[in-house]
PDB file of all heavy atoms in Angstrom:
ATOM      1  N   GLN A   1     -34.553  25.382 -12.342  1.00 93.00           N
ATOM      2  CA  GLN A   1     -35.797  26.102 -12.102  1.00 93.00           C
ATOM      3  C   GLN A   1     -36.965  25.118 -12.068  1.00 93.00           C
ATOM      4  O   GLN A   1     -37.004  24.164 -12.848  1.00 93.00           O
ATOM      5  CB  GLN A   1     -36.040  27.138 -13.205  1.00 93.00           C
ATOM      6  CG  GLN A   1     -35.012  28.238 -13.243  1.00 93.00           C
ATOM      7  CD  GLN A   1     -35.058  29.079 -11.984  1.00 93.00           C
ATOM      8  OE1 GLN A   1     -36.116  29.424 -11.485  1.00 93.00           O
ATOM      9  NE2 GLN A   1     -33.882  29.396 -11.458  1.00 93.00           N
ATOM     10  N   VAL A   2     -37.918  25.352 -11.186  1.00 93.00           N
ATOM     11  CA  VAL A   2     -39.101  24.492 -11.085  1.00 93.00           C
ATOM     12  C   VAL A   2     -39.894  24.539 -12.390  1.00 93.00           C
ATOM     13  O   VAL A   2     -40.473  23.545 -12.821  1.00 93.00           O
ATOM     14  CB  VAL A   2     -39.986  24.907  -9.889  1.00 93.00           C
ATOM     15  CG1 VAL A   2     -41.275  24.111  -9.847  1.00 93.00           C
ATOM     16  CG2 VAL A   2     -39.216  24.733  -8.590  1.00 93.00           C
ATOM     17  N   ALA A   3     -39.856  25.669 -13.066  1.00 93.00           N
ATOM     18  CA  ALA A   3     -40.594  25.828 -14.325  1.00 93.00           C
ATOM     19  C   ALA A   3     -40.114  24.859 -15.403  1.00 93.00           C
ATOM     20  O   ALA A   3     -40.853  24.563 -16.346  1.00 93.00           O
ATOM     21  CB  ALA A   3     -40.477  27.261 -14.824  1.00 93.00           C
ATOM     22  N   GLN A   4     -38.914  24.328 -15.284  1.00 92.00           N
ATOM     23  CA  GLN A   4     -38.406  23.383 -16.275  1.00 92.00           C
ATOM     24  C   GLN A   4     -39.130  22.040 -16.211  1.00 92.00           C
ATOM     25  O   GLN A   4     -39.022  21.243 -17.128  1.00 92.00           O
ATOM     26  CB  GLN A   4     -36.903  23.192 -16.111  1.00 92.00           C
ATOM     27  CG  GLN A   4     -36.120  24.427 -16.516  1.00 92.00           C
ATOM     28  CD  GLN A   4     -34.632  24.238 -16.352  1.00 92.00           C
ATOM     29  OE1 GLN A   4     -34.168  23.615 -15.402  1.00 92.00           O
ATOM     30  NE2 GLN A   4     -33.875  24.794 -17.268  1.00 92.00           N
ATOM     31  N   LEU A   5     -39.842  21.797 -15.122  1.00 92.00           N
ATOM     32  CA  LEU A   5     -40.665  20.583 -15.029  1.00 92.00           C
ATOM     33  C   LEU A   5     -42.028  20.798 -15.687  1.00 92.00           C
ATOM     34  O   LEU A   5     -42.789  19.858 -15.843  1.00 92.00           O
ATOM     35  CB  LEU A   5     -40.851  20.172 -13.567  1.00 92.00           C
ATOM     36  CG  LEU A   5     -39.638  19.547 -12.916  1.00 92.00           C
ATOM     37  CD1 LEU A   5     -39.802  19.529 -11.413  1.00 92.00           C
ATOM     38  CD2 LEU A   5     -39.444  18.145 -13.435  1.00 92.00           C
ATOM     39  N   GLY A   6     -42.331  22.038 -16.004  1.00 89.00           N
ATOM     40  CA  GLY A   6     -43.533  22.516 -16.657  1.00 89.00           C
ATOM     41  C   GLY A   6     -44.699  21.587 -16.824  1.00 89.00           C
ATOM     42  O   GLY A   6     -45.540  21.456 -15.943  1.00 89.00           O
ATOM     43  N   ARG A   7     -44.795  20.924 -17.931  1.00 92.00           N
ATOM     44  CA  ARG A   7     -45.970  20.130 -18.272  1.00 92.00           C
ATOM     45  C   ARG A   7     -46.062  18.810 -17.512  1.00 92.00           C
ATOM     46  O   ARG A   7     -47.073  18.137 -17.568  1.00 92.00           O
ATOM     47  CB  ARG A   7     -46.026  19.886 -19.771  1.00 92.00           C
ATOM     48  CG  ARG A   7     -44.836  19.123 -20.313  1.00 92.00           C
ATOM     49  CD  ARG A   7     -44.967  18.819 -21.775  1.00 92.00           C
ATOM     50  NE  ARG A   7     -45.906  17.725 -21.930  1.00 92.00           N
ATOM     51  CZ  ARG A   7     -46.653  17.531 -22.995  1.00 92.00           C
ATOM     52  NH1 ARG A   7     -46.589  18.339 -23.984  1.00 92.00           N
ATOM     53  NH2 ARG A   7     -47.460  16.499 -23.056  1.00 92.00           N
ATOM     54  N   TRP A   8     -45.009  18.436 -16.794  1.00 95.00           N
ATOM     55  CA  TRP A   8     -45.032  17.164 -16.069  1.00 95.00           C
ATOM     56  C   TRP A   8     -45.621  17.279 -14.680  1.00 95.00           C
ATOM     57  O   TRP A   8     -45.842  16.267 -14.024  1.00 95.00           O
ATOM     58  CB  TRP A   8     -43.614  16.585 -15.961  1.00 95.00           C
ATOM     59  CG  TRP A   8     -43.138  16.013 -17.244  1.00 95.00           C
ATOM     60  CD1 TRP A   8     -42.269  16.577 -18.129  1.00 95.00           C
ATOM     61  CD2 TRP A   8     -43.525  14.770 -17.825  1.00 95.00           C
ATOM     62  NE1 TRP A   8     -42.089  15.759 -19.206  1.00 95.00           N
ATOM     63  CE2 TRP A   8     -42.859  14.642 -19.044  1.00 95.00           C
ATOM     64  CE3 TRP A   8     -44.391  13.749 -17.423  1.00 95.00           C
ATOM     65  CZ2 TRP A   8     -43.006  13.538 -19.868  1.00 95.00           C
ATOM     66  CZ3 TRP A   8     -44.534  12.646 -18.240  1.00 95.00           C
ATOM     67  CH2 TRP A   8     -43.851  12.550 -19.448  1.00 95.00           C
ATOM     68  N   ILE A   9     -45.843  18.512 -14.173  1.00 96.00           N
ATOM     69  CA  ILE A   9     -46.348  18.683 -12.818  1.00 96.00           C
ATOM     70  C   ILE A   9     -47.569  19.595 -12.806  1.00 96.00           C
ATOM     71  O   ILE A   9     -47.751  20.410 -13.695  1.00 96.00           O
ATOM     72  CB  ILE A   9     -45.261  19.254 -11.870  1.00 96.00           C
ATOM     73  CG1 ILE A   9     -44.768  20.620 -12.341  1.00 96.00           C
ATOM     74  CG2 ILE A   9     -44.116  18.293 -11.714  1.00 96.00           C
ATOM     75  CD1 ILE A   9     -43.790  21.283 -11.405  1.00 96.00           C
ATOM     76  N   THR A  10     -48.394  19.428 -11.782  1.00 95.00           N
ATOM     77  CA  THR A  10     -49.564  20.282 -11.614  1.00 95.00           C
ATOM     78  C   THR A  10     -49.146  21.578 -10.914  1.00 95.00           C
ATOM     79  O   THR A  10     -48.032  21.694 -10.409  1.00 95.00           O
ATOM     80  CB  THR A  10     -50.652  19.577 -10.784  1.00 95.00           C
ATOM     81  OG1 THR A  10     -50.125  19.301  -9.483  1.00 95.00           O
ATOM     82  CG2 THR A  10     -51.113  18.291 -11.441  1.00 95.00           C
ATOM     83  N   ALA A  11     -50.058  22.533 -10.867  1.00 95.00           N
ATOM     84  CA  ALA A  11     -49.772  23.818 -10.216  1.00 95.00           C
ATOM     85  C   ALA A  11     -49.507  23.633  -8.721  1.00 95.00           C
ATOM     86  O   ALA A  11     -48.645  24.314  -8.147  1.00 95.00           O
ATOM     87  CB  ALA A  11     -50.928  24.773 -10.441  1.00 95.00           C
ATOM     88  N   ASP A  12     -50.244  22.713  -8.083  1.00 96.00           N
ATOM     89  CA  ASP A  12     -50.037  22.458  -6.652  1.00 96.00           C
ATOM     90  C   ASP A  12     -48.634  21.928  -6.383  1.00 96.00           C
ATOM     91  O   ASP A  12     -47.972  22.345  -5.431  1.00 96.00           O
ATOM     92  CB  ASP A  12     -51.069  21.462  -6.120  1.00 96.00           C
ATOM     93  CG  ASP A  12     -52.477  22.010  -6.131  1.00 96.00           C
ATOM     94  OD1 ASP A  12     -52.623  23.256  -6.132  1.00 96.00           O
ATOM     95  OD2 ASP A  12     -53.425  21.200  -6.138  1.00 96.00           O
ATOM     96  N   VAL A  13     -48.179  21.001  -7.206  1.00 96.00           N
ATOM     97  CA  VAL A  13     -46.837  20.434  -7.043  1.00 96.00           C
ATOM     98  C   VAL A  13     -45.793  21.515  -7.292  1.00 96.00           C
ATOM     99  O   VAL A  13     -44.795  21.603  -6.569  1.00 96.00           O
ATOM    100  CB  VAL A  13     -46.631  19.231  -7.991  1.00 96.00           C
ATOM    101  CG1 VAL A  13     -45.193  18.762  -7.972  1.00 96.00           C
ATOM    102  CG2 VAL A  13     -47.567  18.098  -7.603  1.00 96.00           C
ATOM    103  N   SER A  14     -46.020  22.348  -8.276  1.00 95.00           N
ATOM    104  CA  SER A  14     -45.095  23.443  -8.559  1.00 95.00           C
ATOM    105  C   SER A  14     -44.954  24.371  -7.359  1.00 95.00           C
ATOM    106  O   SER A  14     -43.837  24.752  -6.986  1.00 95.00           O
ATOM    107  CB  SER A  14     -45.595  24.228  -9.774  1.00 95.00           C
ATOM    108  OG  SER A  14     -44.775  25.326 -10.029  1.00 95.00           O
ATOM    109  N   ASP A  15     -46.071  24.720  -6.734  1.00 95.00           N
ATOM    110  CA  ASP A  15     -46.032  25.585  -5.554  1.00 95.00           C
ATOM    111  C   ASP A  15     -45.274  24.933  -4.401  1.00 95.00           C
ATOM    112  O   ASP A  15     -44.469  25.584  -3.717  1.00 95.00           O
ATOM    113  CB  ASP A  15     -47.446  25.943  -5.098  1.00 95.00           C
ATOM    114  CG  ASP A  15     -48.176  26.825  -6.101  1.00 95.00           C
ATOM    115  OD1 ASP A  15     -47.503  27.450  -6.959  1.00 95.00           O
ATOM    116  OD2 ASP A  15     -49.419  26.865  -6.037  1.00 95.00           O
ATOM    117  N   GLU A  16     -45.509  23.637  -4.183  1.00 96.00           N
ATOM    118  CA  GLU A  16     -44.822  22.921  -3.103  1.00 96.00           C
ATOM    119  C   GLU A  16     -43.315  22.858  -3.350  1.00 96.00           C
ATOM    120  O   GLU A  16     -42.522  23.078  -2.431  1.00 96.00           O
ATOM    121  CB  GLU A  16     -45.381  21.509  -2.971  1.00 96.00           C
ATOM    122  CG  GLU A  16     -46.776  21.449  -2.403  1.00 96.00           C
ATOM    123  CD  GLU A  16     -47.341  20.036  -2.410  1.00 96.00           C
ATOM    124  OE1 GLU A  16     -46.562  19.075  -2.557  1.00 96.00           O
ATOM    125  OE2 GLU A  16     -48.569  19.906  -2.272  1.00 96.00           O
ATOM    126  N   LEU A  17     -42.913  22.558  -4.591  1.00 95.00           N
ATOM    127  CA  LEU A  17     -41.487  22.477  -4.912  1.00 95.00           C
ATOM    128  C   LEU A  17     -40.820  23.845  -4.761  1.00 95.00           C
ATOM    129  O   LEU A  17     -39.684  23.938  -4.290  1.00 95.00           O
ATOM    130  CB  LEU A  17     -41.282  21.930  -6.319  1.00 95.00           C
ATOM    131  CG  LEU A  17     -41.604  20.454  -6.532  1.00 95.00           C
ATOM    132  CD1 LEU A  17     -41.400  20.078  -7.991  1.00 95.00           C
ATOM    133  CD2 LEU A  17     -40.773  19.565  -5.633  1.00 95.00           C
ATOM    134  N   ARG A  18     -41.517  24.903  -5.158  1.00 95.00           N
ATOM    135  CA  ARG A  18     -40.956  26.250  -5.010  1.00 95.00           C
ATOM    136  C   ARG A  18     -40.733  26.599  -3.535  1.00 95.00           C
ATOM    137  O   ARG A  18     -39.739  27.223  -3.175  1.00 95.00           O
ATOM    138  CB  ARG A  18     -41.883  27.270  -5.657  1.00 95.00           C
ATOM    139  CG  ARG A  18     -41.706  27.366  -7.141  1.00 95.00           C
ATOM    140  CD  ARG A  18     -42.440  28.571  -7.722  1.00 95.00           C
ATOM    141  NE  ARG A  18     -42.202  28.621  -9.150  1.00 95.00           N
ATOM    142  CZ  ARG A  18     -43.020  28.106 -10.056  1.00 95.00           C
ATOM    143  NH1 ARG A  18     -44.146  27.542  -9.685  1.00 95.00           N
ATOM    144  NH2 ARG A  18     -42.718  28.169 -11.342  1.00 95.00           N
ATOM    145  N   GLU A  19     -41.672  26.200  -2.678  1.00 95.00           N
ATOM    146  CA  GLU A  19     -41.531  26.488  -1.250  1.00 95.00           C
ATOM    147  C   GLU A  19     -40.355  25.714  -0.655  1.00 95.00           C
ATOM    148  O   GLU A  19     -39.549  26.275   0.096  1.00 95.00           O
ATOM    149  CB  GLU A  19     -42.827  26.147  -0.507  1.00 95.00           C
ATOM    150  CG  GLU A  19     -42.787  26.411   0.978  1.00 95.00           C
ATOM    151  CD  GLU A  19     -42.578  27.874   1.337  1.00 95.00           C
ATOM    152  OE1 GLU A  19     -42.843  28.748   0.494  1.00 95.00           O
ATOM    153  OE2 GLU A  19     -42.127  28.138   2.467  1.00 95.00           O
ATOM    154  N   VAL A  20     -40.220  24.441  -0.984  1.00 94.00           N
ATOM    155  CA  VAL A  20     -39.097  23.635  -0.473  1.00 94.00           C
ATOM    156  C   VAL A  20     -37.783  24.194  -1.013  1.00 94.00           C
ATOM    157  O   VAL A  20     -36.783  24.274  -0.290  1.00 94.00           O
ATOM    158  CB  VAL A  20     -39.279  22.150  -0.849  1.00 94.00           C
ATOM    159  CG1 VAL A  20     -38.053  21.338  -0.481  1.00 94.00           C
ATOM    160  CG2 VAL A  20     -40.511  21.579  -0.174  1.00 94.00           C
ATOM    161  N   ARG A  21     -37.789  24.600  -2.280  1.00 91.00           N
ATOM    162  CA  ARG A  21     -36.593  25.190  -2.889  1.00 91.00           C
ATOM    163  C   ARG A  21     -36.190  26.463  -2.141  1.00 91.00           C
ATOM    164  O   ARG A  21     -35.019  26.677  -1.841  1.00 91.00           O
ATOM    165  CB  ARG A  21     -36.854  25.511  -4.352  1.00 91.00           C
ATOM    166  CG  ARG A  21     -35.726  26.255  -5.036  1.00 91.00           C
ATOM    167  CD  ARG A  21     -36.193  26.836  -6.352  1.00 91.00           C
ATOM    168  NE  ARG A  21     -35.214  27.715  -6.912  1.00 91.00           N
ATOM    169  CZ  ARG A  21     -34.306  27.354  -7.811  1.00 91.00           C
ATOM    170  NH1 ARG A  21     -34.277  26.111  -8.237  1.00 91.00           N
ATOM    171  NH2 ARG A  21     -33.447  28.210  -8.265  1.00 91.00           N
ATOM    172  N   ARG A  22     -37.164  27.321  -1.848  1.00 93.00           N
ATOM    173  CA  ARG A  22     -36.883  28.570  -1.144  1.00 93.00           C
ATOM    174  C   ARG A  22     -36.211  28.290   0.203  1.00 93.00           C
ATOM    175  O   ARG A  22     -35.214  28.925   0.564  1.00 93.00           O
ATOM    176  CB  ARG A  22     -38.161  29.361  -0.942  1.00 93.00           C
ATOM    177  CG  ARG A  22     -37.946  30.734  -0.335  1.00 93.00           C
ATOM    178  CD  ARG A  22     -39.245  31.425  -0.012  1.00 93.00           C
ATOM    179  NE  ARG A  22     -39.998  30.739   1.040  1.00 93.00           N
ATOM    180  CZ  ARG A  22     -39.718  30.812   2.343  1.00 93.00           C
ATOM    181  NH1 ARG A  22     -38.682  31.510   2.750  1.00 93.00           N
ATOM    182  NH2 ARG A  22     -40.455  30.180   3.223  1.00 93.00           N
ATOM    183  N   LEU A  23     -36.742  27.315   0.929  1.00 91.00           N
ATOM    184  CA  LEU A  23     -36.170  26.974   2.236  1.00 91.00           C
ATOM    185  C   LEU A  23     -34.764  26.396   2.109  1.00 91.00           C
ATOM    186  O   LEU A  23     -33.871  26.727   2.903  1.00 91.00           O
ATOM    187  CB  LEU A  23     -37.088  25.997   2.965  1.00 91.00           C
ATOM    188  CG  LEU A  23     -38.466  26.538   3.355  1.00 91.00           C
ATOM    189  CD1 LEU A  23     -39.344  25.418   3.880  1.00 91.00           C
ATOM    190  CD2 LEU A  23     -38.331  27.660   4.356  1.00 91.00           C
ATOM    191  N   ASN A  24     -34.548  25.526   1.123  1.00 87.00           N
ATOM    192  CA  ASN A  24     -33.219  24.929   0.934  1.00 87.00           C
ATOM    193  C   ASN A  24     -32.191  25.971   0.518  1.00 87.00           C
ATOM    194  O   ASN A  24     -31.047  25.953   0.991  1.00 87.00           O
ATOM    195  CB  ASN A  24     -33.270  23.807  -0.092  1.00 87.00           C
ATOM    196  CG  ASN A  24     -33.719  22.504   0.503  1.00 87.00           C
ATOM    197  OD1 ASN A  24     -33.706  22.331   1.721  1.00 87.00           O
ATOM    198  ND2 ASN A  24     -34.132  21.584  -0.335  1.00 87.00           N
ATOM    199  N   VAL A  25     -32.579  26.872  -0.393  1.00 84.00           N
ATOM    200  CA  VAL A  25     -31.649  27.911  -0.836  1.00 84.00           C
ATOM    201  C   VAL A  25     -31.300  28.832   0.326  1.00 84.00           C
ATOM    202  O   VAL A  25     -30.139  29.221   0.493  1.00 84.00           O
ATOM    203  CB  VAL A  25     -32.245  28.692  -2.029  1.00 84.00           C
ATOM    204  CG1 VAL A  25     -31.440  29.944  -2.324  1.00 84.00           C
ATOM    205  CG2 VAL A  25     -32.308  27.796  -3.252  1.00 84.00           C
ATOM    206  N   GLU A  26     -32.283  29.166   1.156  1.00 86.00           N
ATOM    207  CA  GLU A  26     -32.019  30.006   2.329  1.00 86.00           C
ATOM    208  C   GLU A  26     -31.066  29.308   3.303  1.00 86.00           C
ATOM    209  O   GLU A  26     -30.112  29.908   3.800  1.00 86.00           O
ATOM    210  CB  GLU A  26     -33.331  30.334   3.039  1.00 86.00           C
ATOM    211  CG  GLU A  26     -33.174  31.234   4.229  1.00 86.00           C
ATOM    212  CD  GLU A  26     -34.500  31.566   4.894  1.00 86.00           C
ATOM    213  OE1 GLU A  26     -35.555  31.369   4.265  1.00 86.00           O
ATOM    214  OE2 GLU A  26     -34.464  32.009   6.055  1.00 86.00           O
ATOM    215  N   ARG A  27     -31.308  28.026   3.566  1.00 83.00           N
ATOM    216  CA  ARG A  27     -30.438  27.274   4.464  1.00 83.00           C
ATOM    217  C   ARG A  27     -29.019  27.200   3.921  1.00 83.00           C
ATOM    218  O   ARG A  27     -28.045  27.414   4.646  1.00 83.00           O
ATOM    219  CB  ARG A  27     -30.991  25.860   4.663  1.00 83.00           C
ATOM    220  CG  ARG A  27     -30.108  24.976   5.548  1.00 83.00           C
ATOM    221  CD  ARG A  27     -30.559  23.533   5.566  1.00 83.00           C
ATOM    222  NE  ARG A  27     -30.796  22.948   4.270  1.00 83.00           N
ATOM    223  CZ  ARG A  27     -29.834  22.453   3.476  1.00 83.00           C
ATOM    224  NH1 ARG A  27     -28.574  22.484   3.847  1.00 83.00           N
ATOM    225  NH2 ARG A  27     -30.144  21.917   2.305  1.00 83.00           N
ATOM    226  N   ARG A  28     -28.885  26.951   2.616  1.00 79.00           N
ATOM    227  CA  ARG A  28     -27.558  26.833   2.024  1.00 79.00           C
ATOM    228  C   ARG A  28     -26.820  28.165   2.026  1.00 79.00           C
ATOM    229  O   ARG A  28     -25.599  28.200   2.166  1.00 79.00           O
ATOM    230  CB  ARG A  28     -27.667  26.270   0.617  1.00 79.00           C
ATOM    231  CG  ARG A  28     -28.080  24.794   0.640  1.00 79.00           C
ATOM    232  CD  ARG A  28     -28.248  24.256  -0.723  1.00 79.00           C
ATOM    233  NE  ARG A  28     -26.930  24.142  -1.333  1.00 79.00           N
ATOM    234  CZ  ARG A  28     -26.672  23.404  -2.381  1.00 79.00           C
ATOM    235  NH1 ARG A  28     -27.641  22.711  -2.945  1.00 79.00           N
ATOM    236  NH2 ARG A  28     -25.479  23.345  -2.893  1.00 79.00           N
TER     237      ARG A  28
END
């Protein structure tokens, strides 16, 4: 989960990782 990176990333990075994750999971 992206949330496991919690305090190490900013909200913008979290949003970007979630979007890339969504696309990768859909492709897979």
Side-chain angles (χ1 to χ4, degrees):
Q1 295 295 318
V2 175
Q4 290 180 322
L5 286 165
R7 61 176 284 152
W8 285 102
I9 60 175
T10 62
D12 293 337
V13 172
S14 177
D15 293 341
E16 289 175 17
L17 290 178
R18 279 191 179 95
E19 180 62 21
V20 173
R21 174 194 171 95
R22 185 186 66 78
L23 295 172
N24 277 343
V25 168
E26 182 179 343
R27 178 189 49 82
R28 290 177 71 162

